[in-house]
Amino acid sequence: MKVYLDNAATTPLSDEVLQVMIPFMKENFGNPSAIHSFGRTTRAAIETARKQVAKALNCSPAEIFFTSSGTEANNMAIKCSVRDLGIKHVITSPIEHHCVSHTTDYLEENHLATIHLLRVNDKGQMDLQHLEELLSQINEPTLVSLMHANNEIGTMVDIEKLAEICSKHGALLHCDTVQTIGHYPFDLQKTKINFLSGSGHKFHGPKGAGFIYINADTKIKSFIHGGAQERNMRAGTENMYGIIGLGKAIEDAYAHFDEHKNHILSLKKYMITRLQESIEDIKFNGDISDNSLYTVLSVSFPPSDKNETLLFNLDINGIAASAGSACSSGADTGSHVLNAIKADPARKGIRFSFSRYTTKEEIDFVIEKLKTIVGSKETVAS
Ligand code: PLP
């Protein structure tokens, strides 16, 4: 048996998504910028995808721009805010994905903006009181860039509250929603956000296709220079099949939202209970309440000499999970997120992340393997 519990790193493409992509890999190949019928066919399909994304978020299709990835969308939001909107300060957190934190590092190193780090507690929750204090002290244009859900520990910020605070202080808000698109019911008519980002491969769409939402009142210019694609906002011939797949994937995610959420949440709770029953001194990193992201469970195993090889042993038993961040899977460089929440370095943090395709049998299989690898409660006690 092979069990894939690394869905926060990437999800498998769904069959439904693959089916809509295939014709655009072969017969519908026209360049969407071309005015002939070949181009018109692919242009129409891209515009359908844009409407699918806009419908899912309750915004206008004119506010959606396709990118190559969540990474590009996040770079664009932050760098273009500084370049085009006179932003002088960026408030961010120590637990952001590297595509945000390395971007803010770059701004700081090149004296392009002053970076302020928000306090987070030992569950990875953002200190919104601290945000209010910072925003009250700073008197120059400010961008707040905070992630909606942490990709390593699943802790979430109350995005509506965050938007309210930024609005009250006249700050722009960029939210890295790469982990929550498809897993959270956004309503951008109600929640005032300037930028958010998404990535198709996190919700059973293809890799290499992402998008940025830019609120209609927020006027930035292109990040990538070249042709007039994406209404002059993102040059480069479109990744058509990627975009078309992303559109179908987001539509499917929200068409079955409650069903998928209930299924995944029940499996996460089941795994928490089974771990607590089966393994001595098990702990969890981050927030595991119902306010956290239901696809992610970060488990903290007791100190042991087996820790170093835990992920490897899971892998040879057919189980894919991740240590720390998705993007550094396999490379044990230590997690900046677990460091920031002051997780015990002697304990091993493993992230298990679920999808709508995960089954209870798979969780049972993982628990049985963990019992043999790290020792079950009974064997530990004896
Ligand atoms: N932001 C978060 C929170 C992520 O988890 C990831 C990917 O793991 C990204 C951004 C980057 O997205 P992409 O893989 O599309 O570049």
Side-chain angles (χ1 to χ4, degrees), residues 74-372:
N74 285 334
N75 267 262
M76 181 172 177
I78 300 169
K79 289 182 184 156
C80 293
S81 294
V82 171
R83 190 192 64 191
D84 302 333
L85 302 174
I87 291 297
K88 298 273 183 282
H89 298 263
V90 182
I91 302 176
T92 183
S93 87
I95 60 169
E96 297 300 309
H97 189 271
H98 281 147
C99 68
V100 168
S101 61
H102 289 172
T103 301
T104 53
D105 288 349
Y106 160 83
L107 293 175
E108 187 162 54
E109 282 155 18
N110 289 283
H111 312 290
L112 296 167
T114 306
I115 310 301
H116 307 260
L117 286 186
L118 198 65
R119 277 196 295 267
V120 295
N121 68 13
D122 60 2
K123 286 196 159 68
Q125 288 157 328
M126 313 270 179
D127 184 341
L128 296 184
Q129 183 57 40
H130 187 213
L131 178 63
E132 292 253 22
E133 284 163 25
L134 286 169
L135 287 170
S136 308
Q137 287 157 14
I138 302 169
N139 294 318
E140 289 182 301
T142 302
L143 172 75
V144 174
S145 176
L146 293 172
M147 68 202 316
H148 190 195
N150 185 275
N151 50 304
E152 292 190 37
I153 54 176
T155 303
M156 290 182 73
V157 68
D158 179 341
I159 195 169
E160 284 80 23
K161 183 94 196 292
L162 183 60
E164 220 177 276
I165 296 174
C166 292
S167 225
K168 183 172 116 192
H169 291 270
L172 297 184
L173 174 59
H174 161 240
C175 199
D176 174 356
T177 48
V178 166
Q179 288 292 340
T180 50
I181 296 284
H183 302 297
Y184 184 85
F186 291 93
D187 183 348
L188 295 176
Q189 295 308 312
K190 288 208 185 112
T191 316
K192 195 182 171 316
I193 300 170
N194 300 87
F195 307 100
L196 51 77
S197 48
S199 183
H201 73 105
K202 304 289 186 182
F203 46 90
H204 305 288
K207 294 167 188 51
F211 69 87
I212 182 169
Y213 157 84
I214 308 176
N215 180 278
D217 298 332
T218 311
K219 308 282 183 205
I220 58 167
K221 298 199 188 89
S222 184
F223 179 53
I224 301 212
H225 299 103
Q229 291 90 353
E230 294 298 285
R231 289 157 289 131
N232 284 312
M233 285 293 285
R234 203 279 177 181
T237 300
E238 296 87 340
N239 169 9
M240 287 160 7
Y241 22 85
I243 292 170
I244 289 157
L246 184 156
K248 171 68 174 156
I250 203 168
E251 186 177 77
D252 289 352
Y254 284 103
H256 307 283
F257 182 82
D258 289 333
E259 182 197 328
H260 295 156
K261 177 174 175 177
N262 293 339
H263 171 72
I264 300 169
L265 185 57
S266 73
L267 287 180
K268 174 172 168 173
K269 289 184 172 170
Y270 179 66
M271 185 156 185
I272 291 172
T273 311
R274 293 272 352 246
L275 282 166
Q276 284 166 332
E277 284 168 4
S278 317
I279 293 168
E280 200 74 51
D281 188 24
I282 203 88
K283 291 197 170 78
F284 301 96
N285 297 308
D287 177 17
I288 54 160
S289 77
D290 285 0
N291 295 327
S292 64
L293 181 63
Y294 52 85
T295 52
V296 171
L297 179 64
S298 174
V299 182
S300 167
F301 289 91
S304 153
D305 49 11
K306 294 172 188 144
N307 274 354
E308 283 320 304
T309 52
L310 184 49
L311 206 57
F312 172 71
N313 274 322
L314 285 170
D315 188 24
I316 55 176
N317 279 285
I319 300 162
S322 176
S325 166
C327 302
S328 55
S329 291
D332 195 8
T333 52
S335 151
H336 67 289
V337 175
L338 297 182
N339 289 339
I341 65 167
K342 302 190 173 58
D344 180 353
R347 298 177 67 93
K348 182 77 176 170
I350 301 273
R351 180 188 65 183
F352 297 99
S353 48
F354 318 101
S355 84
R356 64 195 200 225
Y357 299 120
T358 310
T359 64
K360 187 163 171 283
E361 292 65 40
E362 289 178 328
I363 305 289
D364 286 332
F365 178 82
V366 174
I367 298 290
E368 290 316 308
K369 292 294 175 196
L370 279 170
K371 279 161 68 173
T372 55

Side-chain angles (χ1 to χ4, degrees), residues 47-91:
E47 294 317 314
T48 298
R50 200 183 311 283
K51 285 186 199 133
Q52 287 166 319
V53 177
K55 184 161 180 249
L57 305 178
N58 197 20
C59 66
S60 159
E63 296 175 307
I64 301 298
F65 301 89
F66 292 111
T67 62
S68 67
S69 58
T71 296
E72 184 188 327
N74 285 334
N75 267 262
M76 181 172 177
I78 300 169
K79 289 182 184 156
C80 293
S81 294
V82 171
R83 190 192 64 191
D84 302 333
L85 302 174
I87 291 297
K88 298 273 183 282
H89 298 263
V90 182
I91 302 176

